[in-house]
Amino acid sequence: MPTKPIETGRYLLLATDIAGYGSGDAQRHRSIQRTLLDILHEAADAAVLHRKLWTTQPSGDGELAILPTSEPEHRLVDDFVRHLHRLLNQCNATRIEAARLRLRMAVHEGVVSQAANGFAGQAVVQVKRLLSCSALRQTLETSDTSLAVIVSDEIYDGTISQGYTTYHIDDFRRVQVLEKEHRGHAWVHVPRTFVQSKARPVSLPGGVVPVTPVPANVNEGAS
């Protein structure tokens, strides 16, 4: 059951899932679940989001989160993603290849209502279809990344393509989603290295702005 009930209304929806979870034993499952929650909490804090206000439905290897309207959409799809990617990379830096945590993430928005065993509404169905679609799974499987993100047309058209984030439109790839009864399109993104972007500073704790690193191919002796 969800952590707390919600009123019927329009919300941001965030769905996450750890790849390869089913192949682990009970000890690994407990470790993955604890690490995932810690990373989600820390990424939200760093992005100035408030997870204590989210209504979440755990699934062991992931969760479905319903965010209140007070949580800025651009921070979820931009700052939160960048911090989540950074934290996953930090976590994986000390792990062997087989133990790396690799995460799929889907974002959508729509009307959601409380139900007897969770949430009801087509928005809930759609974000789950996005999370499990073959395009997102293949992106994570074929990329050397710890995080693959998919957003719905609504999120892309309303926030990303309108310049409300630090992304360039080429950072997302349009894909076809054919998952059970869902037919449509969405947008897939593989995060890059966590750096300051061109459009606006990424939100960091305490108002700190990250410094853009010098490219590796710059000559050290250049004036």
Side-chain angles (χ1 to χ4, degrees), residues 10-59:
R10 185 171 293 276
Y11 296 92
L12 269 175
L13 295 90
L14 167 67
T16 54
D17 184 85
I18 290 286
Y21 178 85
S23 60
D25 58 19
Q27 182 174 351
R28 175 164 165 76
H29 288 171
R30 286 192 292 269
S31 174
I32 289 175
Q33 291 185 27
R34 182 69 268 163
T35 301
L36 174 62
L37 290 179
D38 289 345
I39 287 176
L40 290 174
H41 280 292
E42 190 172 346
D45 286 345
V48 197
L49 296 171
H50 308 87
R51 256 181 74 83
K52 65 181 180 180
L53 301 179
W54 301 5
T55 297
T56 59
Q57 184 173 354
S59 61

Side-chain angles (χ1 to χ4, degrees), residues 48-121:
V48 197
L49 296 171
H50 308 87
R51 256 181 74 83
K52 65 181 180 180
L53 301 179
W54 301 5
T55 297
T56 59
Q57 184 173 354
S59 61
D61 57 348
E63 73 173 26
L64 171 64
I66 310 299
L67 281 64
T69 56
S70 59
E71 296 286 69
E73 183 175 311
H74 69 274
R75 286 187 190 167
L76 179 68
V77 298
D78 193 344
D79 294 13
F80 179 78
V81 167
R82 297 182 191 279
H83 284 289
L84 187 61
H85 182 232
R86 171 179 59 84
L87 291 166
L88 282 167
N89 286 343
Q90 290 178 357
C91 175
N92 288 332
T94 58
R95 293 170 178 254
I96 63 172
E97 180 68 23
R100 289 179 62 199
L101 293 185
R102 310 186 75 208
L103 185 70
R104 301 194 315 276
M105 170 180 165
V107 184
H108 182 41
E109 63 88 18
V111 177
V112 182
S113 61
Q114 195 72 52
N117 193 35
F119 307 113

Side-chain angles (χ1 to χ4, degrees), residues 10-14 67 71-78 81 105-110 123 126-127 130 149-165 167 169 172 185-189:
R10 185 171 293 276
Y11 296 92
L12 269 175
L13 295 90
L14 167 67
L67 281 64
E71 296 286 69
E73 183 175 311
H74 69 274
R75 286 187 190 167
L76 179 68
V77 298
D78 193 344
V81 167
M105 170 180 165
V107 184
H108 182 41
E109 63 88 18
Q126 185 168 343
V127 76
L130 294 177
V149 180
I150 189 168
V151 302
S152 64
D153 271 335
E154 290 84 348
I155 298 296
Y156 183 85
D157 292 340
T159 297
I160 296 166
S161 70
Q162 297 303 308
Y164 293 120
T165 70
Y167 295 119
I169 57 173
F172 285 76
H185 293 88
W187 300 82
V188 168
H189 169 63

